[in-house]
Amino acid sequence: AQTVTQSQPEMSVQEAETVTLSCTYDTSENNYYLFWYKQPPSRQMILVIRQEAYKQQNATENRFSVNFQKAAKSFSLKISDSQLGDTAMYFCALCGGNTPLVFGKGTRLSVIA
Amino acid sequence: GAGVSQSPRYKVAKRGQDVALRCDPISGHVSLFWYQQALGQGPEFLTYFQNEAQLDKSGLPSDRFFAERPEGSVSTLKIQRTQQEDSAVYLCASSAQAYNSPLHFGNGTRLTVT
């Protein structure tokens, strides 16, 4: 079975500061993909960033970057220069082999002006 | 439209009623997924279609839940004899390929069973 654990139910950050959201996972697959999704109050899940497990280089997408530690099965998300529009639920997700995407329970991020 | 469209956006049903939730995926997307998201939780997988074939329905919580995608495009999730525990947001997602492709989600349908 594949599992995703997000140990921070809620976090807050001052506008323009940097925040890191934690995620650990477990899978027996050698080839898998990791994702961070953002869910604002509109409920639509928006893909933030994607990491292929076979790539050692950490993925980056503008102000968003990940710290992928394969041996530790850790996949944290760093948001730099936080903006008010970053306020949302953030979900870490895992997809390995021929299995559907598995989500963590989420972290509620509040960006404070 | 450019994105995944779901309707209705909100649905209130009395316990015991049947409901049907619609998902219109991105045109040309082969894969379609349904997820259930309880309040304050992450989405939980329900079922997966590749074109019109339902390849995985392992997440459907009971035989009251039924999904179809007869022409490989629009999908309907039907819940018979709704119960209060069915109250949740139902998310639909589509992707161009199979499991490893990024999913594009709709805005979901919030179902409230009273």
Side-chain angles (χ1 to χ4, degrees):
Chain A
Q2 298 179 122
T3 61
V4 176
T5 302
Q6 294 180 250
S7 58
Q8 305 154 314
E10 294 188 24
M11 291 195 71
S12 61
V13 62
Q14 292 285 336
E15 197 176 6
E17 296 295 309
T18 296
V19 64
T20 299
L21 308 183
S22 301
C23 172
T24 58
Y25 62 92
D26 193 22
T27 179
S28 57
E29 298 287 336
N30 289 322
N31 186 23
Y32 54 90
Y33 296 76
L34 293 158
F35 304 83
W36 278 97
Y37 278 89
K38 168 185 177 181
Q39 188 178 42
S42 68
R43 296 201 306 257
Q44 185 174 22
M45 300 284 276
I46 301 165
L47 178 64
V48 174
I49 200 162
R50 176 185 189 222
Q51 174 83 43
E52 292 93 335
Y54 63 85
K55 288 187 177 179
Q56 292 186 335
Q57 187 173 7
N58 288 324
T60 63
E61 195 69 43
N62 299 316
R63 297 182 296 108
F64 300 88
S65 62
V66 298
N67 183 6
F68 175 45
Q69 300 291 326
K70 191 171 182 178
K73 292 184 178 177
S74 171
F75 183 63
S76 61
L77 174 70
K78 185 171 82 171
I79 306 174
S80 304
D81 185 26
S82 297
Q83 301 176 0
L84 295 177
D86 295 334
T87 293
M89 286 290 292
Y90 286 81
F91 292 95
C92 180
L94 163 69
C95 181
N98 289 324
T99 59
L101 202 59
V102 174
F103 289 86
K105 291 187 181 300
T107 296
R108 183 178 301 279
L109 176 67
S110 298
V111 180
I112 303 165
Chain B
V4 177
S5 177
Q6 290 188 248
S7 61
R9 188 152 171 79
Y10 300 92
K11 176 68 179 179
V12 179
K14 291 187 177 179
R15 190 163 57 96
Q17 283 185 331
D18 298 349
V19 298
L21 312 180
R22 177 188 169 104
C23 174
D24 208 330
I26 292 173
S27 178
H29 275 194
V30 168
S31 297
L32 186 145
F33 300 79
W34 283 99
Y35 281 81
Q36 180 190 58
Q37 186 176 21
L39 188 63
Q41 301 294 315
E44 298 276 347
F45 169 76
L46 292 176
T47 188
Y48 162 60
F49 289 87
Q50 189 172 84
N51 296 308
E52 69 278 4
Q54 189 174 20
L55 299 187
D56 187 345
K57 53 182 180 180
S58 62
L60 295 177
S62 78
D63 58 7
R64 296 185 296 103
F65 287 70
F66 171 77
E68 60 183 5
R69 192 186 186 198
E71 297 178 0
S73 178
V74 172
S75 177
T76 303
L77 176 67
K78 298 179 180 178
I79 309 173
Q80 297 177 321
R81 306 181 302 282
T82 52
Q83 304 294 315
Q84 283 192 320
E85 62 263 28
D86 300 335
S87 295
V89 173
Y90 290 85
L91 295 168
C92 177
S94 69
S95 69
Q97 297 174 28
Y99 287 111
N100 292 332
S101 297
L103 297 187
H104 300 264
F105 284 84
N107 286 337
T109 294
R110 181 181 296 280
L111 172 65
T112 303
V113 182
T114 60

